Amino acid sequence: MRKARLEDMTRGWFIGNFEPVVLRTDAFEMGVKKYKAGEKEERHYHRVASEVTLIVSGRVKMNGVTYVEGDIVALDPGEITDFEAVTDAVTAVAKLPSLMGDKYLTDD
């Protein structure tokens, strides 16, 4: 049995093909991300990976659409998104596969 602390992980990511990690795999990445109201992620897309975000708590906006606790947003490769925490929020995010460098910033 292994034990780790979320705050010791990089930006909440704890499974994937990177360090630090609790379980190393190139199959997928998993993270729990905490945001303060007003925090943002830049517009980006993944060429290879799919990404699924569960809104655990709070309210967020992605591409101008508001999502609330319990909403699940799935993005296919090539789909562009941004992110803004409207309130304090927690998300659980899975990205498949775990592929370093597959995040591309865009102004589109």
Side-chain angles (χ1 to χ4, degrees):
M1 184 180 319
R2 293 181 293 263
K3 179 186 177 194
R5 300 278 307 160
L6 188 60
E7 60 263 21
D8 296 333
M9 303 294 115
T10 301
R11 300 184 65 220
W13 294 100
F14 61 93
I15 298 174
N17 194 16
F18 44 78
E19 287 292 335
V21 70
V22 175
L23 176 66
R24 181 182 284 286
T25 179
D26 59 3
F28 72 99
E29 297 175 5
M30 184 71 205
V32 172
K33 307 186 77 163
K34 298 178 182 180
Y35 296 92
K36 295 288 185 193
E39 286 187 310
K40 297 179 180 185
E41 298 274 346
E42 295 181 87
R43 286 183 68 72
H44 70 279
Y45 65 95
H46 304 285
R47 289 184 182 159
V48 176
S50 296
E51 188 171 85
V52 179
T53 301
L54 164 64
I55 312 307
V56 175
S57 66
R59 211 169 55 240
V60 306
K61 276 189 183 180
M62 296 172 73
N63 290 339
V65 177
T66 300
Y67 297 97
V68 297
E69 181 177 324
D71 285 343
I72 301 170
V73 181
L75 297 168
D76 292 322
E79 284 189 271
I80 297 171
T81 192
D82 57 10
F83 178 94
E84 179 181 358
V86 177
T87 64
D88 289 355
V90 176
T91 63
V93 183
K95 191 174 94 169
L96 302 92
S98 179
L99 182 62
M100 296 300 291
D102 186 40
K103 182 175 183 177
Y104 301 90
L105 301 182
T106 183
D107 293 328
D108 290 346

